[in-house]
Amino acid sequence: MNKPTEEEWFVGLFYRLSKSNFRSKFKLSQNDKMYIEEKGLDAIEAHARDFVAKRLAPAHPTNDGKQTPMKGHPVFIAQHATSTCCRGCLEKWHNIAGGKELNQRQQDYVVKVIMTWIKREYDNCVS
């Protein structure tokens, strides 16, 4: 069996996430939307990179499984919606094993998943 392309993987991932009762309940709040408008998507992506590097990339993150708040920043909401909130979810949903520091390619992938969700959710809210 051939490995799916990144595009095929994303289509399948977001389809599976949409079928999860827990993951599909996450939406951007009005405050999140205003924050995105105020800061801009480049700043939101920079925040995502920082959160991923500090809270998710270590081999054994502090408070793993509880390190991502359920509210307070659009990236946090996106992490729960995309199952990029902890190492257990990364392993289950994204096939990224725990116990080993995330390399730069893996961190870039996680940020891309988060930002894809944020952009889709934001576009659905403003269009």
Side-chain angles (χ1 to χ4, degrees):
M1 181 178 215
N2 291 337
K3 184 177 176 184
T5 65
E6 184 178 86
E7 183 178 337
E8 291 168 337
W9 172 260
F10 268 55
V11 168
L13 171 66
F14 281 95
Y15 175 77
R16 291 188 305 277
L17 290 167
S18 76
K19 297 301 179 194
S20 166
N21 288 333
F22 179 72
R23 302 291 164 197
S24 63
K25 76 178 183 179
F26 290 96
K27 307 288 181 209
L28 291 175
S29 71
Q30 192 59 41
N31 284 343
D32 294 327
K33 293 173 211 168
M34 289 177 4
Y35 187 79
I36 292 168
E37 288 174 10
E38 177 185 321
K39 299 291 182 184
L41 286 171
D42 289 343
I44 301 300
E45 183 172 335
H47 298 166
R49 288 192 180 287
D50 185 56
F51 294 150
V52 168
K54 290 179 179 169
R55 297 172 180 239
L56 202 59
H60 303 285
T62 304
N63 298 320
D64 194 26
K66 295 180 172 64
Q67 74 265 43
T68 304
M70 297 292 267
K71 59 183 178 179
H73 196 287
V75 171
F76 299 154
I77 305 307
Q79 285 186 270
H80 289 292
T82 60
S83 206
T84 57
C85 46
C86 69
R87 294 305 295 266
C89 289
L90 276 182
E91 187 161 2
K92 178 181 176 182
W93 285 82
H94 301 275
N95 301 320
I96 299 174
K100 186 177 166 189
E101 187 172 341
L102 296 181
N103 63 37
Q104 191 59 54
R105 185 182 62 72
Q106 291 168 320
Q107 290 182 53
D108 291 345
Y109 163 80
V110 170
V111 170
K112 185 172 183 177
V113 170
I114 291 166
M115 292 307 298
T116 297
W117 185 88
I118 287 174
K119 288 172 187 173
R120 287 179 178 184
E121 182 73 13
Y122 183 77
D123 287 346
N124 286 339
C125 297
V126 296
S127 45

mmCIF file with all atom_site columns, all heavy atoms in Angstrom, residues 64-85:
data_model
loop_
_atom_site.group_PDB
_atom_site.id
_atom_site.type_symbol
_atom_site.label_atom_id
_atom_site.label_alt_id
_atom_site.label_comp_id
_atom_site.label_asym_id
_atom_site.label_entity_id
_atom_site.label_seq_id
_atom_site.pdbx_PDB_ins_code
_atom_site.Cartn_x
_atom_site.Cartn_y
_atom_site.Cartn_z
_atom_site.occupancy
_atom_site.B_iso_or_equiv
_atom_site.pdbx_formal_charge
_atom_site.auth_seq_id
_atom_site.auth_comp_id
_atom_site.auth_asym_id
_atom_site.auth_atom_id
_atom_site.pdbx_PDB_model_num
ATOM 1   N N   . ASP A 1 64 ? 1.862   16.277 30.710 1.00 0.00 ? 64 ASP A N   1
ATOM 2   C CA  . ASP A 1 64 ? 1.355   15.739 29.437 1.00 0.00 ? 64 ASP A CA  1
ATOM 3   C C   . ASP A 1 64 ? -0.053  15.189 29.624 1.00 0.00 ? 64 ASP A C   1
ATOM 4   O O   . ASP A 1 64 ? -0.342  14.489 30.588 1.00 0.00 ? 64 ASP A O   1
ATOM 5   C CB  . ASP A 1 64 ? 2.279   14.654 28.893 1.00 0.00 ? 64 ASP A CB  1
ATOM 6   C CG  . ASP A 1 64 ? 1.976   14.321 27.439 1.00 0.00 ? 64 ASP A CG  1
ATOM 7   O OD1 . ASP A 1 64 ? 1.445   15.193 26.721 1.00 0.00 ? 64 ASP A OD1 1
ATOM 8   O OD2 . ASP A 1 64 ? 2.269   13.192 27.026 1.00 0.00 ? 64 ASP A OD2 1
ATOM 9   N N   . GLY A 1 65 ? -0.910  15.546 28.694 1.00 0.00 ? 65 GLY A N   1
ATOM 10  C CA  . GLY A 1 65 ? -2.311  15.180 28.762 1.00 0.00 ? 65 GLY A CA  1
ATOM 11  C C   . GLY A 1 65 ? -3.160  16.295 29.356 1.00 0.00 ? 65 GLY A C   1
ATOM 12  O O   . GLY A 1 65 ? -4.378  16.282 29.231 1.00 0.00 ? 65 GLY A O   1
ATOM 13  N N   . LYS A 1 66 ? -2.506  17.243 29.999 1.00 0.00 ? 66 LYS A N   1
ATOM 14  C CA  . LYS A 1 66 ? -3.209  18.370 30.614 1.00 0.00 ? 66 LYS A CA  1
ATOM 15  C C   . LYS A 1 66 ? -2.514  19.694 30.323 1.00 0.00 ? 66 LYS A C   1
ATOM 16  O O   . LYS A 1 66 ? -2.828  20.707 30.930 1.00 0.00 ? 66 LYS A O   1
ATOM 17  C CB  . LYS A 1 66 ? -3.302  18.164 32.125 1.00 0.00 ? 66 LYS A CB  1
ATOM 18  C CG  . LYS A 1 66 ? -4.139  16.975 32.532 1.00 0.00 ? 66 LYS A CG  1
ATOM 19  C CD  . LYS A 1 66 ? -4.169  16.845 34.031 1.00 0.00 ? 66 LYS A CD  1
ATOM 20  C CE  . LYS A 1 66 ? -5.116  15.806 34.527 1.00 0.00 ? 66 LYS A CE  1
ATOM 21  N NZ  . LYS A 1 66 ? -4.856  14.452 34.173 1.00 0.00 ? 66 LYS A NZ  1
ATOM 22  N N   . GLN A 1 67 ? -1.552  19.692 29.399 1.00 0.00 ? 67 GLN A N   1
ATOM 23  C CA  . GLN A 1 67 ? -0.749  20.889 29.186 1.00 0.00 ? 67 GLN A CA  1
ATOM 24  C C   . GLN A 1 67 ? -1.421  21.935 28.303 1.00 0.00 ? 67 GLN A C   1
ATOM 25  O O   . GLN A 1 67 ? -0.977  23.066 28.247 1.00 0.00 ? 67 GLN A O   1
ATOM 26  C CB  . GLN A 1 67 ? 0.633   20.536 28.610 1.00 0.00 ? 67 GLN A CB  1
ATOM 27  C CG  . GLN A 1 67 ? 0.647   20.119 27.156 1.00 0.00 ? 67 GLN A CG  1
ATOM 28  C CD  . GLN A 1 67 ? 0.595   18.622 26.977 1.00 0.00 ? 67 GLN A CD  1
ATOM 29  O OE1 . GLN A 1 67 ? -0.160  17.942 27.639 1.00 0.00 ? 67 GLN A OE1 1
ATOM 30  N NE2 . GLN A 1 67 ? 1.400   18.109 26.069 1.00 0.00 ? 67 GLN A NE2 1
ATOM 31  N N   . THR A 1 68 ? -2.496  21.584 27.629 1.00 0.00 ? 68 THR A N   1
ATOM 32  C CA  . THR A 1 68 ? -3.151  22.528 26.720 1.00 0.00 ? 68 THR A CA  1
ATOM 33  C C   . THR A 1 68 ? -4.483  22.977 27.314 1.00 0.00 ? 68 THR A C   1
ATOM 34  O O   . THR A 1 68 ? -5.397  22.161 27.461 1.00 0.00 ? 68 THR A O   1
ATOM 35  C CB  . THR A 1 68 ? -3.382  21.880 25.338 1.00 0.00 ? 68 THR A CB  1
ATOM 36  O OG1 . THR A 1 68 ? -2.129  21.417 24.836 1.00 0.00 ? 68 THR A OG1 1
ATOM 37  C CG2 . THR A 1 68 ? -3.984  22.876 24.362 1.00 0.00 ? 68 THR A CG2 1
ATOM 38  N N   . PRO A 1 69 ? -4.599  24.254 27.673 1.00 0.00 ? 69 PRO A N   1
ATOM 39  C CA  . PRO A 1 69 ? -5.873  24.755 28.216 1.00 0.00 ? 69 PRO A CA  1
ATOM 40  C C   . PRO A 1 69 ? -7.014  24.575 27.210 1.00 0.00 ? 69 PRO A C   1
ATOM 41  O O   . PRO A 1 69 ? -6.792  24.496 25.999 1.00 0.00 ? 69 PRO A O   1
ATOM 42  C CB  . PRO A 1 69 ? -5.590  26.240 28.450 1.00 0.00 ? 69 PRO A CB  1
ATOM 43  C CG  . PRO A 1 69 ? -4.103  26.345 28.534 1.00 0.00 ? 69 PRO A CG  1
ATOM 44  C CD  . PRO A 1 69 ? -3.575  25.289 27.619 1.00 0.00 ? 69 PRO A CD  1
ATOM 45  N N   . MET A 1 70 ? -8.224  24.511 27.712 1.00 0.00 ? 70 MET A N   1
ATOM 46  C CA  . MET A 1 70 ? -9.405  24.317 26.866 1.00 0.00 ? 70 MET A CA  1
ATOM 47  C C   . MET A 1 70 ? -9.917  25.634 26.283 1.00 0.00 ? 70 MET A C   1
ATOM 48  O O   . MET A 1 70 ? -10.812 25.624 25.447 1.00 0.00 ? 70 MET A O   1
ATOM 49  C CB  . MET A 1 70 ? -10.528 23.652 27.662 1.00 0.00 ? 70 MET A CB  1
ATOM 50  C CG  . MET A 1 70 ? -10.178 22.260 28.144 1.00 0.00 ? 70 MET A CG  1
ATOM 51  S SD  . MET A 1 70 ? -10.023 21.081 26.814 1.00 0.00 ? 70 MET A SD  1
ATOM 52  C CE  . MET A 1 70 ? -11.664 20.426 26.765 1.00 0.00 ? 70 MET A CE  1
ATOM 53  N N   . LYS A 1 71 ? -9.360  26.751 26.727 1.00 0.00 ? 71 LYS A N   1
ATOM 54  C CA  . LYS A 1 71 ? -9.787  28.054 26.214 1.00 0.00 ? 71 LYS A CA  1
ATOM 55  C C   . LYS A 1 71 ? -8.676  29.054 26.469 1.00 0.00 ? 71 LYS A C   1
ATOM 56  O O   . LYS A 1 71 ? -7.676  28.745 27.103 1.00 0.00 ? 71 LYS A O   1
ATOM 57  C CB  . LYS A 1 71 ? -11.097 28.504 26.876 1.00 0.00 ? 71 LYS A CB  1
ATOM 58  C CG  . LYS A 1 71 ? -11.010 28.634 28.374 1.00 0.00 ? 71 LYS A CG  1
ATOM 59  C CD  . LYS A 1 71 ? -12.356 29.004 28.965 1.00 0.00 ? 71 LYS A CD  1
ATOM 60  C CE  . LYS A 1 71 ? -12.223 29.074 30.483 1.00 0.00 ? 71 LYS A CE  1
ATOM 61  N NZ  . LYS A 1 71 ? -13.457 29.446 31.114 1.00 0.00 ? 71 LYS A NZ  1
ATOM 62  N N   . GLY A 1 72 ? -8.847  30.266 25.922 1.00 0.00 ? 72 GLY A N   1
ATOM 63  C CA  . GLY A 1 72 ? -7.893  31.328 26.209 1.00 0.00 ? 72 GLY A CA  1
ATOM 64  C C   . GLY A 1 72 ? -7.036  31.748 25.027 1.00 0.00 ? 72 GLY A C   1
ATOM 65  O O   . GLY A 1 72 ? -6.411  32.796 25.073 1.00 0.00 ? 72 GLY A O   1
ATOM 66  N N   . HIS A 1 73 ? -6.983  30.934 23.982 1.00 0.00 ? 73 HIS A N   1
ATOM 67  C CA  . HIS A 1 73 ? -6.207  31.291 22.789 1.00 0.00 ? 73 HIS A CA  1
ATOM 68  C C   . HIS A 1 73 ? -6.719  30.429 21.635 1.00 0.00 ? 73 HIS A C   1
ATOM 69  O O   . HIS A 1 73 ? -6.999  29.248 21.824 1.00 0.00 ? 73 HIS A O   1
ATOM 70  C CB  . HIS A 1 73 ? -4.721  31.025 23.022 1.00 0.00 ? 73 HIS A CB  1
ATOM 71  C CG  . HIS A 1 73 ? -3.832  31.694 22.020 1.00 0.00 ? 73 HIS A CG  1
ATOM 72  N ND1 . HIS A 1 73 ? -3.716  31.261 20.717 1.00 0.00 ? 73 HIS A ND1 1
ATOM 73  C CD2 . HIS A 1 73 ? -3.027  32.775 22.136 1.00 0.00 ? 73 HIS A CD2 1
ATOM 74  C CE1 . HIS A 1 73 ? -2.875  32.046 20.075 1.00 0.00 ? 73 HIS A CE1 1
ATOM 75  N NE2 . HIS A 1 73 ? -2.442  32.983 20.919 1.00 0.00 ? 73 HIS A NE2 1
ATOM 76  N N   . PRO A 1 74 ? -6.826  31.010 20.419 1.00 0.00 ? 74 PRO A N   1
ATOM 77  C CA  . PRO A 1 74 ? -7.294  30.224 19.279 1.00 0.00 ? 74 PRO A CA  1
ATOM 78  C C   . PRO A 1 74 ? -6.464  28.958 19.025 1.00 0.00 ? 74 PRO A C   1
ATOM 79  O O   . PRO A 1 74 ? -7.003  27.932 18.602 1.00 0.00 ? 74 PRO A O   1
ATOM 80  C CB  . PRO A 1 74 ? -7.184  31.190 18.096 1.00 0.00 ? 74 PRO A CB  1
ATOM 81  C CG  . PRO A 1 74 ? -7.139  32.551 18.686 1.00 0.00 ? 74 PRO A CG  1
ATOM 82  C CD  . PRO A 1 74 ? -6.578  32.413 20.067 1.00 0.00 ? 74 PRO A CD  1
ATOM 83  N N   . VAL A 1 75 ? -5.170  29.018 19.303 1.00 0.00 ? 75 VAL A N   1
ATOM 84  C CA  . VAL A 1 75 ? -4.316  27.842 19.089 1.00 0.00 ? 75 VAL A CA  1
ATOM 85  C C   . VAL A 1 75 ? -4.724  26.717 20.030 1.00 0.00 ? 75 VAL A C   1
ATOM 86  O O   . VAL A 1 75 ? -4.757  25.554 19.627 1.00 0.00 ? 75 VAL A O   1
ATOM 87  C CB  . VAL A 1 75 ? -2.822  28.201 19.244 1.00 0.00 ? 75 VAL A CB  1
ATOM 88  C CG1 . VAL A 1 75 ? -1.953  26.947 19.252 1.00 0.00 ? 75 VAL A CG1 1
ATOM 89  C CG2 . VAL A 1 75 ? -2.386  29.139 18.127 1.00 0.00 ? 75 VAL A CG2 1
ATOM 90  N N   . PHE A 1 76 ? -5.071  27.030 21.271 1.00 0.00 ? 76 PHE A N   1
ATOM 91  C CA  . PHE A 1 76 ? -5.483  25.990 22.212 1.00 0.00 ? 76 PHE A CA  1
ATOM 92  C C   . PHE A 1 76 ? -6.746  25.280 21.712 1.00 0.00 ? 76 PHE A C   1
ATOM 93  O O   . PHE A 1 76 ? -6.846  24.057 21.781 1.00 0.00 ? 76 PHE A O   1
ATOM 94  C CB  . PHE A 1 76 ? -5.741  26.561 23.607 1.00 0.00 ? 76 PHE A CB  1
ATOM 95  C CG  . PHE A 1 76 ? -4.549  27.205 24.264 1.00 0.00 ? 76 PHE A CG  1
ATOM 96  C CD1 . PHE A 1 76 ? -4.732  28.196 25.209 1.00 0.00 ? 76 PHE A CD1 1
ATOM 97  C CD2 . PHE A 1 76 ? -3.244  26.836 23.954 1.00 0.00 ? 76 PHE A CD2 1
ATOM 98  C CE1 . PHE A 1 76 ? -3.654  28.800 25.844 1.00 0.00 ? 76 PHE A CE1 1
ATOM 99  C CE2 . PHE A 1 76 ? -2.149  27.435 24.573 1.00 0.00 ? 76 PHE A CE2 1
ATOM 100 C CZ  . PHE A 1 76 ? -2.363  28.417 25.520 1.00 0.00 ? 76 PHE A CZ  1
ATOM 101 N N   . ILE A 1 77 ? -7.696  26.062 21.227 1.00 0.00 ? 77 ILE A N   1
ATOM 102 C CA  . ILE A 1 77 ? -8.933  25.491 20.698 1.00 0.00 ? 77 ILE A CA  1
ATOM 103 C C   . ILE A 1 77 ? -8.613  24.589 19.507 1.00 0.00 ? 77 ILE A C   1
ATOM 104 O O   . ILE A 1 77 ? -9.111  23.466 19.407 1.00 0.00 ? 77 ILE A O   1
ATOM 105 C CB  . ILE A 1 77 ? -9.925  26.605 20.268 1.00 0.00 ? 77 ILE A CB  1
ATOM 106 C CG1 . ILE A 1 77 ? -10.199 27.581 21.423 1.00 0.00 ? 77 ILE A CG1 1
ATOM 107 C CG2 . ILE A 1 77 ? -11.229 26.013 19.740 1.00 0.00 ? 77 ILE A CG2 1
ATOM 108 C CD1 . ILE A 1 77 ? -10.647 26.961 22.703 1.00 0.00 ? 77 ILE A CD1 1
ATOM 109 N N   . ALA A 1 78 ? -7.769  25.083 18.631 1.00 0.00 ? 78 ALA A N   1
ATOM 110 C CA  . ALA A 1 78 ? -7.380  24.306 17.449 1.00 0.00 ? 78 ALA A CA  1
ATOM 111 C C   . ALA A 1 78 ? -6.651  23.020 17.839 1.00 0.00 ? 78 ALA A C   1
ATOM 112 O O   . ALA A 1 78 ? -6.840  21.978 17.204 1.00 0.00 ? 78 ALA A O   1
ATOM 113 C CB  . ALA A 1 78 ? -6.507  25.152 16.528 1.00 0.00 ? 78 ALA A CB  1
ATOM 114 N N   . GLN A 1 79 ? -5.823  23.082 18.869 1.00 0.00 ? 79 GLN A N   1
ATOM 115 C CA  . GLN A 1 79 ? -5.112  21.882 19.291 1.00 0.00 ? 79 GLN A CA  1
ATOM 116 C C   . GLN A 1 79 ? -6.081  20.799 19.746 1.00 0.00 ? 79 GLN A C   1
ATOM 117 O O   . GLN A 1 79 ? -5.892  19.627 19.428 1.00 0.00 ? 79 GLN A O   1
ATOM 118 C CB  . GLN A 1 79 ? -4.115  22.209 20.402 1.00 0.00 ? 79 GLN A CB  1
ATOM 119 C CG  . GLN A 1 79 ? -2.883  22.914 19.893 1.00 0.00 ? 79 GLN A CG  1
ATOM 120 C CD  . GLN A 1 79 ? -1.868  23.101 20.989 1.00 0.00 ? 79 GLN A CD  1
ATOM 121 O OE1 . GLN A 1 79 ? -1.882  24.114 21.679 1.00 0.00 ? 79 GLN A OE1 1
ATOM 122 N NE2 . GLN A 1 79 ? -1.007  22.119 21.153 1.00 0.00 ? 79 GLN A NE2 1
ATOM 123 N N   . HIS A 1 80 ? -7.116  21.178 20.464 1.00 0.00 ? 80 HIS A N   1
ATOM 124 C CA  . HIS A 1 80 ? -8.105  20.182 20.886 1.00 0.00 ? 80 HIS A CA  1
ATOM 125 C C   . HIS A 1 80 ? -8.930  19.703 19.693 1.00 0.00 ? 80 HIS A C   1
ATOM 126 O O   . HIS A 1 80 ? -9.212  18.511 19.569 1.00 0.00 ? 80 HIS A O   1
ATOM 127 C CB  . HIS A 1 80 ? -8.992  20.748 21.994 1.00 0.00 ? 80 HIS A CB  1
ATOM 128 C CG  . HIS A 1 80 ? -8.269  20.900 23.285 1.00 0.00 ? 80 HIS A CG  1
ATOM 129 N ND1 . HIS A 1 80 ? -7.822  19.824 24.029 1.00 0.00 ? 80 HIS A ND1 1
ATOM 130 C CD2 . HIS A 1 80 ? -7.881  22.007 23.965 1.00 0.00 ? 80 HIS A CD2 1
ATOM 131 C CE1 . HIS A 1 80 ? -7.192  20.268 25.107 1.00 0.00 ? 80 HIS A CE1 1
ATOM 132 N NE2 . HIS A 1 80 ? -7.212  21.591 25.085 1.00 0.00 ? 80 HIS A NE2 1
ATOM 133 N N   . ALA A 1 81 ? -9.289  20.606 18.811 1.00 0.00 ? 81 ALA A N   1
ATOM 134 C CA  . ALA A 1 81 ? -10.079 20.237 17.633 1.00 0.00 ? 81 ALA A CA  1
ATOM 135 C C   . ALA A 1 81 ? -9.321  19.299 16.702 1.00 0.00 ? 81 ALA A C   1
ATOM 136 O O   . ALA A 1 81 ? -9.917  18.457 16.028 1.00 0.00 ? 81 ALA A O   1
ATOM 137 C CB  . ALA A 1 81 ? -10.509 21.494 16.872 1.00 0.00 ? 81 ALA A CB  1
ATOM 138 N N   . THR A 1 82 ? -8.000  19.444 16.662 1.00 0.00 ? 82 THR A N   1
ATOM 139 C CA  . THR A 1 82 ? -7.182  18.656 15.726 1.00 0.00 ? 82 THR A CA  1
ATOM 140 C C   . THR A 1 82 ? -6.410  17.529 16.403 1.00 0.00 ? 82 THR A C   1
ATOM 141 O O   . THR A 1 82 ? -5.599  16.862 15.765 1.00 0.00 ? 82 THR A O   1
ATOM 142 C CB  . THR A 1 82 ? -6.181  19.565 14.990 1.00 0.00 ? 82 THR A CB  1
ATOM 143 O OG1 . THR A 1 82 ? -5.317  20.186 15.948 1.00 0.00 ? 82 THR A OG1 1
ATOM 144 C CG2 . THR A 1 82 ? -6.897  20.611 14.144 1.00 0.00 ? 82 THR A CG2 1
ATOM 145 N N   . SER A 1 83 ? -6.654  17.348 17.681 1.00 0.00 ? 83 SER A N   1
ATOM 146 C CA  . SER A 1 83 ? -5.980  16.286 18.431 1.00 0.00 ? 83 SER A CA  1
ATOM 147 C C   . SER A 1 83 ? -4.462  16.442 18.408 1.00 0.00 ? 83 SER A C   1
ATOM 148 O O   . SER A 1 83 ? -3.721  15.479 18.268 1.00 0.00 ? 83 SER A O   1
ATOM 149 C CB  . SER A 1 83 ? -6.405  14.916 17.911 1.00 0.00 ? 83 SER A CB  1
ATOM 150 O OG  . SER A 1 83 ? -6.282  13.957 18.915 1.00 0.00 ? 83 SER A OG  1
ATOM 151 N N   . THR A 1 84 ? -4.021  17.682 18.547 1.00 0.00 ? 84 THR A N   1
ATOM 152 C CA  . THR A 1 84 ? -2.594  17.991 18.665 1.00 0.00 ? 84 THR A CA  1
ATOM 153 C C   . THR A 1 84 ? -2.319  18.616 20.033 1.00 0.00 ? 84 THR A C   1
ATOM 154 O O   . THR A 1 84 ? -1.404  19.419 20.181 1.00 0.00 ? 84 THR A O   1
ATOM 155 C CB  . THR A 1 84 ? -2.129  18.940 17.534 1.00 0.00 ? 84 THR A CB  1
ATOM 156 O OG1 . THR A 1 84 ? -2.923  20.142 17.569 1.00 0.00 ? 84 THR A OG1 1
ATOM 157 C CG2 . THR A 1 84 ? -2.251  18.292 16.171 1.00 0.00 ? 84 THR A CG2 1
ATOM 158 N N   . CYS A 1 85 ? -3.100  18.233 21.014 1.00 0.00 ? 85 CYS A N   1
ATOM 159 C CA  . CYS A 1 85 ? -3.056  18.845 22.338 1.00 0.00 ? 85 CYS A CA  1
ATOM 160 C C   . CYS A 1 85 ? -2.087  18.169 23.298 1.00 0.00 ? 85 CYS A C   1
ATOM 161 O O   . CYS A 1 85 ? -1.645  18.787 24.258 1.00 0.00 ? 85 CYS A O   1
ATOM 162 C CB  . CYS A 1 85 ? -4.457  18.873 22.939 1.00 0.00 ? 85 CYS A CB  1
ATOM 163 S SG  . CYS A 1 85 ? -5.350  17.315 22.767 1.00 0.00 ? 85 CYS A SG  1
#
